[in-house]
Amino acid sequence: MRLRILSARRAGLLAGALLWCFAAHAQSVASPAQPPVGSAAVSKSSAALPTVRWESLNAEQKAALAPIQSIWDEQSRDQQRKWLQVANRYHTMKPDEQSRLHSRMTAWAQLTPDQRRKARENYKSVKGLPPEVRDAQWQNYQALPDERRQAVKDKAEAAKRAPAPAAVPAPAGQAPARP
């Protein structure tokens, strides 16, 4: 079977999604699910309930989730539930794992809501791939020369910073052009 090289943008998105996937998997394998900590713990059936306010989190949860405090109230109840599960495992992690998690959470919080949505979509699409395909794509990316991987990263960074195209109004008296 011949494997094709992914476009630079797809490779960058795939790499980011795979890193997030591997980090989440490593955390779940490294530390089994812990019982909920504090009054802000939630169950899976609570997705229809109102979101949890930052102020209602206990000190341990606030410390674990500090990098995402700025976006906490924007998160859906389901997203908050997932972050609270991470917070409940946080105290069982080694210091280097805690540091790595906080670094990734900081990067996540710096993304725009649209970028976070796209990252979730990419994660779901990558997660849905058969393991053999996912591994082959990851190995393709890893096999790229350093300068090509850097170009992929640079292009992904440039895409993050690029402003959305502005809408151009139609001249007076003309209907807008249809794509």
Side-chain angles (χ1 to χ4, degrees):
M1 172 171 81
R2 185 172 177 227
L3 300 174
R4 65 184 171 101
I5 304 240
L6 301 172
S7 71
R9 184 170 187 203
R10 283 190 177 150
L13 293 173
L14 176 63
L18 285 172
L19 288 173
W20 183 261
C21 178
F22 292 140
H25 176 70
Q27 289 170 4
S28 65
V29 170
S31 56
Q34 298 293 320
V37 177
S39 61
V42 294
S43 69
K44 285 192 176 201
S45 63
S46 64
L49 298 174
T51 59
V52 176
R53 301 292 303 168
W54 179 263
E55 296 78 25
S56 70
L57 300 179
N58 65 36
E60 215 172 75
Q61 290 168 325
K62 286 180 180 179
L65 299 173
I68 61 166
Q69 178 181 1
S70 64
I71 63 167
W72 179 258
D73 291 334
E74 301 169 14
Q75 304 300 300
S76 70
R77 178 67 177 202
D78 190 47
Q79 292 164 345
Q80 287 180 344
R81 180 184 55 80
K82 291 175 184 178
W83 282 118
L84 287 169
Q85 290 172 345
V86 171
N88 292 336
R89 290 191 311 265
Y90 183 79
H91 70 281
T92 66
M93 295 178 184
K94 297 175 185 169
D96 63 319
E97 292 171 329
Q98 291 177 347
S99 176
R100 185 172 48 248
L101 177 62
H102 270 190
S103 172
R104 291 180 180 162
M105 290 169 77
T106 299
W108 182 256
Q110 291 172 348
L111 296 176
T112 66
D114 190 52
Q115 289 170 326
R116 289 192 296 267
R117 180 189 54 77
K118 287 179 184 174
R120 285 186 200 100
E121 290 171 359
N122 289 338
Y123 171 78
K124 286 179 185 175
S125 68
V126 169
K127 189 176 180 182
L129 293 174
E132 311 81 47
V133 173
R134 190 172 51 227
D135 291 345
Q137 289 179 344
W138 179 247
Q139 290 192 355
N140 276 350
Y141 175 76
Q142 291 293 313
L144 291 174
D146 288 340
E147 53 276 353
R148 180 75 174 120
R149 278 198 286 181
Q150 188 60 47
V152 168
K153 291 177 187 176
D154 292 344
K155 187 172 181 180
E157 284 297 318
K160 286 181 193 176
R161 288 185 297 245
V168 178
Q174 287 186 342
R178 304 254 178 208

